[in-house]
Amino acid sequence: MNLLRKLFIIYSLSVGAFFGCKPAELSNTCDAKTDAFLYATIIRYVTGDRSPSCLPSFDFQDLWGVFVPTPPSIAASVNAMTSYNDQIIIGGSFQYVGPSTGNVVYLETANGKVLPNRYCPYLKVVGVTGIAISDGNGGFYIGGEFFAVQGEERFSVAHILPGCQLDRNFNVLNDNNKNIYTLLLAGDFLYLGGYYTDDNSGYLVRVNRYTGALDTSFTPNPNTLVSDLETDGESFYVCGDFTNIGGYAKTGLAKFSLSTGLIIPSFTTTINGGSCLDLYYGTDANGSPNIYAVGDLTTPTFSNAISFFPDGTLTTWNPNPNAKVNSIQQYHNTIYLGGDFTTVNGGTTARHLVSVNNSTGTAISTNYGINTSEPIATLQIIENTLYITGSFTSVKSVPRNYAAALSLPDESVTAFDPNYDGSFSNPGSGIVSAGNGVVLFTSSRNTVNITARNNFAVLDEVTGAPIEGTPYFDFPIKALHRVNNRLFVGGSFTNIAGQARNAFAILDLPNYNVSPINTVLTGSPEIRTITSDESQVYVGGTSLANVNAQVRNGAFALSLGDLSVSGWNPNLNGSGESFLVVLDLIFLGGLYTGINGDGVTTNYQAVDKVTGTKRNIPSSTSFPSSGVYAQSLAGSRIFLGGQFTTIGGVSYNNIAVYNLATQSYEQPNPVNANNIVNHIAAYPDGNVLIGGSFTVLNGVPDNYSLGVFNSNTNTLSPWKSSINDVVYTSMYKNGKYYMGGAFSIAHKRSNGGLVRSSLNE
């Protein structure tokens, strides 16, 4: 039975039991006192129905983010946004959109789809998660190198309860920077293995499984990485890169007593060197216990894959892979190996994935269609399914981006297709059954179920997901501006959906078709700002010289009537970065050294909105010392930001306020930043959103990349956005602020360059 259907039935029965004690008085579906209304509302909620109705509506939005593949040439970013009806329009530098889930997700085994946020709240883990294990009660422990889960601080280890919720009673102290590679649950203890990231020293501790409290009596002190832990019920085996552990010289492998917590010194293997990366406690062909160990380890006889008896004695099992093995699993008498190798058994071709006999190591299946340059990171067998992750984009000629599943024993590729945005590398991922046709996946990826969108996407305002049929742009977008049913787009693109458009284009709404009207810009311009008044649309950028064969430097305007190039021509000697319409003036912010050919006016000036002639406002002599990249009008005040440190010799750190009533810059300056300001937007509630690459506003630290200044009270909000990188754009719609930029974290949650906020999270 489909998981969502199960959830619906459970929810319906529960609500029905609660309300069923009193018979309904009426049967009208639109009467709130009837059972019909109740059950119709439940169906509307479960199905996500938002059609016009007398029934209540529900906000299911979980705003999708933007992403680029691994390794990225540049960070994904949302550079501009606007809206149309119930749609959010975004432009920037990205290749995919996907739900901002964070790196731990619940996926349906039937198809690889992530469970909807309204049924299973996204964990939005911030960082990297490499391992997950079951807690035996329907929940999970996760480990990696992260610092927040569902917006709450958790350092590298967390406990997830049934119902996709963080366990707030379990909290491992942030005793140092650590990366957890492995977890083992035994009795009331949770064992954690990995390494300290600041000095690469080893990390192996145990904590109370319910509280996370450290057991200080357990002190094995490995000298470097611990990669994996396995148990036989009485002892546990430690695999890693160490050469000393528990006070003994042990290379790569060691054995400890679960009852005493002490090393068992009699356990000795003949590993010469290298790293052990993964262990599997299994059986040989006779059913006798064997511990299989893989990595890039070496012994006098074997390399990269060995097995040994519980006392440490090596067996004769020898698949002999020619390079590192990252992961190992067993299915009956078959052992699966995944890694960097390309041959086994002394020369048999087996690219990165192979099955071998558990007695001799002789290859069984060698060709899974994995390319030579696509190593396997993780293997996990759950019941009759082999899950694999790595760098591949197909398995057995079936397209699969970086994660797939094979049905056992026939090894056919299943319909499980998570479609990740980038590759997995060691330590790869933790893969654990969550029951009811669901599997938990951990990784270094912050999204799943991606949809290709090149630099432009339109998101449904209610669901947050992308609509279909929007055009692809070959290079980034820097500016968006909508006037009625026309969307003006600027950037560095040269082609849209197969049609040539050089840095500037018009899309016709509602279908987002490229307009046949082509405003031709010559050279290699980049458009960075677009705005309009009732009669013209004003455009600014860099490397701009000609528009429809007319000379235009740094700025031009089109008549909204016929979209012809108008006579407005400020003739900037440099770039136009931010334009603002105020009554009969256009305030031009940019990085330029002249207007109207004067060679004097720099970086900020108002010009006539008809001709482009400068008006000596704010001043004919006092100008910002460097670029003005953003501006916005709040009442009678213009907030402007950029990279300047002075205006006319007076100190202004990257932000200034020009008062139209007094026709002067305000002193003392009510707001300043310690670094570049890329975005300023004023809203009717008095809030002025300030975005950029700063970390301090008005001397207050931790205003990283985004701050909120209220123009009515002249005060900086104490609210902290917890955004980790530059904010380039914002918008207010239906009671919510939308913010876009190059960030991957917002509100201590994983977010792909886009977040919706009430400014109080």
mmCIF file of all heavy atoms in Angstrom, residues 490-533:
data_model
loop_
_atom_site.group_PDB
_atom_site.id
_atom_site.type_symbol
_atom_site.label_atom_id
_atom_site.label_comp_id
_atom_site.label_asym_id
_atom_site.label_seq_id
_atom_site.Cartn_x
_atom_site.Cartn_y
_atom_site.Cartn_z
ATOM 1 N N GLY A 490 17.788 40.509 -17.633
ATOM 2 C CA GLY A 490 19.138 40.935 -17.971
ATOM 3 C C GLY A 490 20.174 40.037 -17.340
ATOM 4 O O GLY A 490 19.940 39.422 -16.292
ATOM 5 N N GLY A 491 21.338 39.932 -17.961
ATOM 6 C CA GLY A 491 22.421 39.110 -17.422
ATOM 7 C C GLY A 491 23.570 39.032 -18.389
ATOM 8 O O GLY A 491 23.867 39.991 -19.107
ATOM 9 N N SER A 492 24.207 37.847 -18.440
ATOM 10 C CA SER A 492 25.331 37.643 -19.360
ATOM 11 C C SER A 492 25.030 36.542 -20.369
ATOM 12 O O SER A 492 25.927 36.048 -21.048
ATOM 13 C CB SER A 492 26.596 37.289 -18.573
ATOM 14 O OG SER A 492 26.393 36.158 -17.741
ATOM 15 N N PHE A 493 23.779 36.129 -20.469
ATOM 16 C CA PHE A 493 23.374 35.058 -21.381
ATOM 17 C C PHE A 493 23.485 35.501 -22.839
ATOM 18 O O PHE A 493 23.474 36.693 -23.162
ATOM 19 C CB PHE A 493 21.944 34.612 -21.072
ATOM 20 C CG PHE A 493 20.948 35.736 -20.987
ATOM 21 C CD1 PHE A 493 20.339 36.253 -22.128
ATOM 22 C CD2 PHE A 493 20.618 36.290 -19.761
ATOM 23 C CE1 PHE A 493 19.430 37.288 -22.041
ATOM 24 C CE2 PHE A 493 19.704 37.324 -19.665
ATOM 25 C CZ PHE A 493 19.109 37.831 -20.808
ATOM 26 N N THR A 494 23.569 34.516 -23.716
ATOM 27 C CA THR A 494 23.601 34.773 -25.162
ATOM 28 C C THR A 494 22.554 33.959 -25.910
ATOM 29 O O THR A 494 22.348 34.186 -27.106
ATOM 30 C CB THR A 494 24.981 34.437 -25.749
ATOM 31 O OG1 THR A 494 25.264 33.047 -25.527
ATOM 32 C CG2 THR A 494 26.075 35.278 -25.099
ATOM 33 N N ASN A 495 21.914 33.014 -25.187
ATOM 34 C CA ASN A 495 20.952 32.153 -25.856
ATOM 35 C C ASN A 495 19.856 31.753 -24.875
ATOM 36 O O ASN A 495 20.135 31.395 -23.729
ATOM 37 C CB ASN A 495 21.652 30.904 -26.397
ATOM 38 C CG ASN A 495 20.757 30.078 -27.301
ATOM 39 O OD1 ASN A 495 19.888 29.365 -26.825
ATOM 40 N ND2 ASN A 495 20.987 30.163 -28.602
ATOM 41 N N ILE A 496 18.602 31.812 -25.322
ATOM 42 C CA ILE A 496 17.464 31.414 -24.504
ATOM 43 C C ILE A 496 16.638 30.423 -25.295
ATOM 44 O O ILE A 496 16.067 30.775 -26.337
ATOM 45 C CB ILE A 496 16.590 32.626 -24.116
ATOM 46 C CG1 ILE A 496 17.426 33.745 -23.513
ATOM 47 C CG2 ILE A 496 15.483 32.200 -23.157
ATOM 48 C CD1 ILE A 496 16.652 35.038 -23.333
ATOM 49 N N ALA A 497 16.585 29.200 -24.818
ATOM 50 C CA ALA A 497 15.766 28.163 -25.471
ATOM 51 C C ALA A 497 16.038 28.086 -26.970
ATOM 52 O O ALA A 497 15.112 27.952 -27.776
ATOM 53 C CB ALA A 497 14.287 28.406 -25.198
ATOM 54 N N GLY A 498 17.312 28.209 -27.331
ATOM 55 C CA GLY A 498 17.690 28.102 -28.734
ATOM 56 C C GLY A 498 17.605 29.376 -29.529
ATOM 57 O O GLY A 498 17.921 29.386 -30.723
ATOM 58 N N GLN A 499 17.179 30.482 -28.901
ATOM 59 C CA GLN A 499 17.079 31.755 -29.607
ATOM 60 C C GLN A 499 18.173 32.709 -29.121
ATOM 61 O O GLN A 499 18.407 32.835 -27.918
ATOM 62 C CB GLN A 499 15.710 32.389 -29.371
ATOM 63 C CG GLN A 499 14.552 31.545 -29.876
ATOM 64 C CD GLN A 499 13.233 32.280 -29.785
ATOM 65 O OE1 GLN A 499 13.100 33.390 -30.307
ATOM 66 N NE2 GLN A 499 12.260 31.663 -29.132
ATOM 67 N N ALA A 500 18.825 33.372 -30.033
ATOM 68 C CA ALA A 500 19.912 34.284 -29.693
ATOM 69 C C ALA A 500 19.359 35.537 -29.018
ATOM 70 O O ALA A 500 18.482 36.215 -29.565
ATOM 71 C CB ALA A 500 20.694 34.662 -30.946
ATOM 72 N N ARG A 501 19.869 35.820 -27.825
ATOM 73 C CA ARG A 501 19.553 37.053 -27.104
ATOM 74 C C ARG A 501 20.806 37.419 -26.314
ATOM 75 O O ARG A 501 21.280 36.615 -25.504
ATOM 76 C CB ARG A 501 18.371 36.873 -26.152
ATOM 77 C CG ARG A 501 17.021 36.650 -26.823
ATOM 78 C CD ARG A 501 16.551 37.892 -27.568
ATOM 79 N NE ARG A 501 15.190 37.733 -28.096
ATOM 80 C CZ ARG A 501 14.897 37.198 -29.258
ATOM 81 N NH1 ARG A 501 15.866 36.739 -30.051
ATOM 82 N NH2 ARG A 501 13.645 37.104 -29.656
ATOM 83 N N ASN A 502 21.319 38.621 -26.536
ATOM 84 C CA ASN A 502 22.592 39.009 -25.955
ATOM 85 C C ASN A 502 22.386 39.873 -24.721
ATOM 86 O O ASN A 502 22.202 41.088 -24.814
ATOM 87 C CB ASN A 502 23.443 39.760 -26.987
ATOM 88 C CG ASN A 502 24.879 39.937 -26.509
ATOM 89 O OD1 ASN A 502 25.326 39.275 -25.583
ATOM 90 N ND2 ASN A 502 25.605 40.839 -27.159
ATOM 91 N N ALA A 503 22.367 39.253 -23.548
ATOM 92 C CA ALA A 503 22.364 39.923 -22.242
ATOM 93 C C ALA A 503 21.043 40.573 -21.854
ATOM 94 O O ALA A 503 20.862 40.970 -20.704
ATOM 95 C CB ALA A 503 23.495 40.952 -22.144
ATOM 96 N N PHE A 504 20.108 40.703 -22.796
ATOM 97 C CA PHE A 504 18.827 41.347 -22.494
ATOM 98 C C PHE A 504 17.737 40.676 -23.310
ATOM 99 O O PHE A 504 17.912 40.390 -24.498
ATOM 100 C CB PHE A 504 18.874 42.836 -22.830
ATOM 101 C CG PHE A 504 17.604 43.575 -22.519
ATOM 102 C CD1 PHE A 504 17.294 43.945 -21.219
ATOM 103 C CD2 PHE A 504 16.702 43.897 -23.528
ATOM 104 C CE1 PHE A 504 16.118 44.623 -20.930
ATOM 105 C CE2 PHE A 504 15.526 44.579 -23.247
ATOM 106 C CZ PHE A 504 15.230 44.940 -21.938
ATOM 107 N N ALA A 505 16.598 40.400 -22.642
ATOM 108 C CA ALA A 505 15.508 39.729 -23.347
ATOM 109 C C ALA A 505 14.175 40.087 -22.721
ATOM 110 O O ALA A 505 14.106 40.586 -21.594
ATOM 111 C CB ALA A 505 15.711 38.219 -23.316
ATOM 112 N N ILE A 506 13.117 39.801 -23.456
ATOM 113 C CA ILE A 506 11.756 40.007 -22.984
ATOM 114 C C ILE A 506 11.018 38.681 -23.104
ATOM 115 O O ILE A 506 11.051 38.032 -24.160
ATOM 116 C CB ILE A 506 11.032 41.083 -23.813
ATOM 117 C CG1 ILE A 506 11.839 42.392 -23.796
ATOM 118 C CG2 ILE A 506 9.626 41.319 -23.282
ATOM 119 C CD1 ILE A 506 11.377 43.394 -24.836
ATOM 120 N N LEU A 507 10.370 38.249 -22.016
ATOM 121 C CA LEU A 507 9.528 37.063 -22.032
ATOM 122 C C LEU A 507 8.076 37.501 -21.937
ATOM 123 O O LEU A 507 7.731 38.375 -21.136
ATOM 124 C CB LEU A 507 9.870 36.129 -20.869
ATOM 125 C CG LEU A 507 11.306 35.615 -20.761
ATOM 126 C CD1 LEU A 507 11.416 34.619 -19.615
ATOM 127 C CD2 LEU A 507 11.781 34.987 -22.066
ATOM 128 N N ASP A 508 7.239 36.876 -22.740
ATOM 129 C CA ASP A 508 5.808 37.172 -22.728
ATOM 130 C C ASP A 508 5.100 36.231 -21.760
ATOM 131 O O ASP A 508 5.242 34.999 -21.849
ATOM 132 C CB ASP A 508 5.224 37.015 -24.134
ATOM 133 C CG ASP A 508 5.713 38.097 -25.091
ATOM 134 O OD1 ASP A 508 6.014 39.209 -24.618
ATOM 135 O OD2 ASP A 508 5.802 37.821 -26.303
ATOM 136 N N LEU A 509 4.344 36.806 -20.834
ATOM 137 C CA LEU A 509 3.603 36.037 -19.844
ATOM 138 C C LEU A 509 2.165 35.846 -20.353
ATOM 139 O O LEU A 509 1.681 36.655 -21.153
ATOM 140 C CB LEU A 509 3.622 36.773 -18.507
ATOM 141 C CG LEU A 509 5.015 37.153 -17.996
ATOM 142 C CD1 LEU A 509 4.921 37.878 -16.671
ATOM 143 C CD2 LEU A 509 5.900 35.932 -17.872
ATOM 144 N N PRO A 510 1.485 34.776 -19.924
ATOM 145 C CA PRO A 510 1.817 33.900 -18.796
ATOM 146 C C PRO A 510 2.648 32.683 -19.147
ATOM 147 O O PRO A 510 2.956 31.874 -18.267
ATOM 148 C CB PRO A 510 0.429 33.455 -18.320
ATOM 149 C CG PRO A 510 -0.370 33.384 -19.585
ATOM 150 C CD PRO A 510 0.110 34.524 -20.429
ATOM 151 N N ASN A 511 3.018 32.497 -20.416
ATOM 152 C CA ASN A 511 3.660 31.246 -20.826
ATOM 153 C C ASN A 511 5.183 31.300 -20.849
ATOM 154 O O ASN A 511 5.833 30.307 -21.176
ATOM 155 C CB ASN A 511 3.148 30.835 -22.210
ATOM 156 C CG ASN A 511 1.665 30.540 -22.197
ATOM 157 O OD1 ASN A 511 1.159 29.928 -21.260
ATOM 158 N ND2 ASN A 511 0.954 30.994 -23.221
ATOM 159 N N TYR A 512 5.758 32.465 -20.549
ATOM 160 C CA TYR A 512 7.216 32.638 -20.497
ATOM 161 C C TYR A 512 7.872 32.336 -21.841
ATOM 162 O O TYR A 512 8.984 31.807 -21.908
ATOM 163 C CB TYR A 512 7.817 31.781 -19.377
ATOM 164 C CG TYR A 512 7.294 32.198 -18.019
ATOM 165 C CD1 TYR A 512 6.190 31.572 -17.449
ATOM 166 C CD2 TYR A 512 7.880 33.246 -17.331
ATOM 167 C CE1 TYR A 512 5.688 31.975 -16.222
ATOM 168 C CE2 TYR A 512 7.386 33.653 -16.094
ATOM 169 C CZ TYR A 512 6.283 33.018 -15.554
ATOM 170 O OH TYR A 512 5.804 33.436 -14.341
ATOM 171 N N ASN A 513 7.187 32.686 -22.907
ATOM 172 C CA ASN A 513 7.763 32.554 -24.236
ATOM 173 C C ASN A 513 8.705 33.726 -24.513
ATOM 174 O O ASN A 513 8.448 34.859 -24.097
ATOM 175 C CB ASN A 513 6.668 32.532 -25.298
ATOM 176 C CG ASN A 513 5.759 31.327 -25.151
ATOM 177 O OD1 ASN A 513 6.221 30.234 -24.832
ATOM 178 N ND2 ASN A 513 4.470 31.522 -25.380
ATOM 179 N N VAL A 514 9.780 33.448 -25.244
ATOM 180 C CA VAL A 514 10.696 34.508 -25.638
ATOM 181 C C VAL A 514 9.998 35.416 -26.639
ATOM 182 O O VAL A 514 9.478 34.959 -27.668
ATOM 183 C CB VAL A 514 11.987 33.937 -26.246
ATOM 184 C CG1 VAL A 514 12.936 35.064 -26.656
ATOM 185 C CG2 VAL A 514 12.675 32.999 -25.260
ATOM 186 N N SER A 515 9.960 36.704 -26.335
ATOM 187 C CA SER A 515 9.293 37.657 -27.216
ATOM 188 C C SER A 515 10.015 37.740 -28.561
ATOM 189 O O SER A 515 11.248 37.697 -28.616
ATOM 190 C CB SER A 515 9.266 39.045 -26.569
ATOM 191 O OG SER A 515 8.813 40.025 -27.486
ATOM 192 N N PRO A 516 9.267 37.876 -29.646
ATOM 193 C CA PRO A 516 9.933 38.072 -30.950
ATOM 194 C C PRO A 516 10.641 39.413 -31.048
ATOM 195 O O PRO A 516 11.473 39.613 -31.947
ATOM 196 C CB PRO A 516 8.768 37.973 -31.945
ATOM 197 C CG PRO A 516 7.544 38.305 -31.158
ATOM 198 C CD PRO A 516 7.798 37.799 -29.779
ATOM 199 N N ILE A 517 10.321 40.341 -30.149
ATOM 200 C CA ILE A 517 11.008 41.638 -30.146
ATOM 201 C C ILE A 517 12.396 41.454 -29.546
ATOM 202 O O ILE A 517 12.548 41.074 -28.379
ATOM 203 C CB ILE A 517 10.216 42.679 -29.350
ATOM 204 C CG1 ILE A 517 8.845 42.894 -29.981
ATOM 205 C CG2 ILE A 517 10.984 43.993 -29.266
ATOM 206 C CD1 ILE A 517 7.932 43.786 -29.174
ATOM 207 N N ASN A 518 13.409 41.686 -30.334
ATOM 208 C CA ASN A 518 14.784 41.460 -29.915
ATOM 209 C C ASN A 518 15.526 42.785 -29.849
ATOM 210 O O ASN A 518 15.811 43.398 -30.879
ATOM 211 C CB ASN A 518 15.485 40.507 -30.887
ATOM 212 C CG ASN A 518 16.905 40.183 -30.450
ATOM 213 O OD1 ASN A 518 17.310 40.498 -29.336
ATOM 214 N ND2 ASN A 518 17.655 39.552 -31.338
ATOM 215 N N THR A 519 15.813 43.226 -28.635
ATOM 216 C CA THR A 519 16.637 44.421 -28.441
ATOM 217 C C THR A 519 18.094 43.989 -28.543
ATOM 218 O O THR A 519 18.594 43.250 -27.692
ATOM 219 C CB THR A 519 16.358 45.050 -27.064
ATOM 220 O OG1 THR A 519 14.955 45.323 -26.955
ATOM 221 C CG2 THR A 519 17.148 46.318 -26.883
ATOM 222 N N VAL A 520 18.772 44.428 -29.578
ATOM 223 C CA VAL A 520 20.099 43.906 -29.898
ATOM 224 C C VAL A 520 21.180 44.735 -29.222
ATOM 225 O O VAL A 520 21.344 45.930 -29.495
ATOM 226 C CB VAL A 520 20.325 43.888 -31.426
ATOM 227 C CG1 VAL A 520 21.732 43.376 -31.738
ATOM 228 C CG2 VAL A 520 19.270 43.033 -32.106
ATOM 229 N N LEU A 521 21.923 44.086 -28.330
ATOM 230 C CA LEU A 521 23.076 44.703 -27.673
ATOM 231 C C LEU A 521 24.328 44.106 -28.291
ATOM 232 O O LEU A 521 24.449 42.873 -28.399
ATOM 233 C CB LEU A 521 23.073 44.429 -26.170
ATOM 234 C CG LEU A 521 22.154 45.267 -25.275
ATOM 235 C CD1 LEU A 521 20.705 45.176 -25.682
ATOM 236 C CD2 LEU A 521 22.319 44.839 -23.818
ATOM 237 N N THR A 522 25.244 44.939 -28.689
ATOM 238 C CA THR A 522 26.460 44.435 -29.315
ATOM 239 C C THR A 522 27.578 44.314 -28.302
ATOM 240 O O THR A 522 27.548 44.912 -27.226
ATOM 241 C CB THR A 522 26.916 45.358 -30.453
ATOM 242 O OG1 THR A 522 27.136 46.676 -29.926
ATOM 243 C CG2 THR A 522 25.863 45.422 -31.545
ATOM 244 N N GLY A 523 28.575 43.518 -28.672
ATOM 245 C CA GLY A 523 29.726 43.304 -27.808
ATOM 246 C C GLY A 523 29.447 42.206 -26.793
ATOM 247 O O GLY A 523 28.699 41.268 -27.048
ATOM 248 N N SER A 524 30.061 42.326 -25.599
ATOM 249 C CA SER A 524 29.882 41.323 -24.542
ATOM 250 C C SER A 524 29.358 41.988 -23.273
ATOM 251 O O SER A 524 30.015 41.984 -22.227
ATOM 252 C CB SER A 524 31.207 40.615 -24.254
ATOM 253 O OG SER A 524 32.219 41.569 -23.951
ATOM 254 N N PRO A 525 28.170 42.579 -23.348
ATOM 255 C CA PRO A 525 27.633 43.300 -22.193
ATOM 256 C C PRO A 525 27.103 42.346 -21.116
ATOM 257 O O PRO A 525 26.835 41.165 -21.380
ATOM 258 C CB PRO A 525 26.486 44.107 -22.799
ATOM 259 C CG PRO A 525 26.022 43.265 -23.931
ATOM 260 C CD PRO A 525 27.256 42.626 -24.498
ATOM 261 N N GLU A 526 26.939 42.879 -19.918
ATOM 262 C CA GLU A 526 26.226 42.192 -18.851
ATOM 263 C C GLU A 526 25.250 43.182 -18.237
ATOM 264 O O GLU A 526 25.660 44.221 -17.718
ATOM 265 C CB GLU A 526 27.175 41.663 -17.775
ATOM 266 C CG GLU A 526 26.436 40.943 -16.649
ATOM 267 C CD GLU A 526 27.375 40.365 -15.615
ATOM 268 O OE1 GLU A 526 27.723 41.081 -14.652
ATOM 269 O OE2 GLU A 526 27.784 39.192 -15.780
ATOM 270 N N ILE A 527 23.975 42.886 -18.306
ATOM 271 C CA ILE A 527 22.949 43.757 -17.742
ATOM 272 C C ILE A 527 22.780 43.422 -16.261
ATOM 273 O O ILE A 527 22.605 42.259 -15.890
ATOM 274 C CB ILE A 527 21.618 43.599 -18.494
ATOM 275 C CG1 ILE A 527 21.786 44.035 -19.944
ATOM 276 C CG2 ILE A 527 20.518 44.410 -17.814
ATOM 277 C CD1 ILE A 527 22.319 45.448 -20.124
ATOM 278 N N ARG A 528 22.796 44.472 -15.405
ATOM 279 C CA ARG A 528 22.781 44.253 -13.961
ATOM 280 C C ARG A 528 21.610 44.894 -13.237
ATOM 281 O O ARG A 528 21.372 44.587 -12.070
ATOM 282 C CB ARG A 528 24.094 44.761 -13.360
ATOM 283 C CG ARG A 528 25.302 43.985 -13.873
ATOM 284 C CD ARG A 528 26.614 44.509 -13.342
ATOM 285 N NE ARG A 528 27.730 43.686 -13.787
ATOM 286 C CZ ARG A 528 29.011 43.963 -13.540
ATOM 287 N NH1 ARG A 528 29.321 45.073 -12.874
ATOM 288 N NH2 ARG A 528 29.949 43.159 -13.966
ATOM 289 N N THR A 529 20.882 45.784 -13.895
ATOM 290 C CA THR A 529 19.743 46.409 -13.231
ATOM 291 C C THR A 529 18.682 46.786 -14.252
ATOM 292 O O THR A 529 19.007 47.196 -15.383
ATOM 293 C CB THR A 529 20.173 47.649 -12.424
ATOM 294 O OG1 THR A 529 19.055 48.170 -11.705
ATOM 295 C CG2 THR A 529 20.758 48.732 -13.311
ATOM 296 N N ILE A 530 17.407 46.625 -13.874
ATOM 297 C CA ILE A 530 16.279 47.003 -14.710
ATOM 298 C C ILE A 530 15.190 47.569 -13.804
ATOM 299 O O ILE A 530 14.866 46.980 -12.767
ATOM 300 C CB ILE A 530 15.703 45.802 -15.494
ATOM 301 C CG1 ILE A 530 16.806 45.081 -16.295
ATOM 302 C CG2 ILE A 530 14.598 46.251 -16.434
ATOM 303 C CD1 ILE A 530 16.330 43.791 -16.956
ATOM 304 N N THR A 531 14.632 48.712 -14.184
ATOM 305 C CA THR A 531 13.488 49.273 -13.472
ATOM 306 C C THR A 531 12.619 50.008 -14.477
ATOM 307 O O THR A 531 12.924 50.039 -15.680
ATOM 308 C CB THR A 531 13.943 50.198 -12.323
ATOM 309 O OG1 THR A 531 12.825 50.518 -11.502
ATOM 310 C CG2 THR A 531 14.587 51.475 -12.854
ATOM 311 N N SER A 532 11.514 50.590 -14.016
ATOM 312 C CA SER A 532 10.616 51.251 -14.963
ATOM 313 C C SER A 532 9.797 52.322 -14.271
ATOM 314 O O SER A 532 9.690 52.374 -13.045
ATOM 315 C CB SER A 532 9.677 50.222 -15.612
ATOM 316 O OG SER A 532 8.782 49.698 -14.646
ATOM 317 N N ASP A 533 9.192 53.206 -15.087
ATOM 318 C CA ASP A 533 8.139 54.111 -14.632
ATOM 319 C C ASP A 533 6.922 53.852 -15.519
ATOM 320 O O ASP A 533 6.824 52.784 -16.146
ATOM 321 C CB ASP A 533 8.604 55.570 -14.651
ATOM 322 C CG ASP A 533 9.036 56.047 -16.031
ATOM 323 O OD1 ASP A 533 8.685 55.368 -17.037
ATOM 324 O OD2 ASP A 533 9.702 57.088 -16.126
#
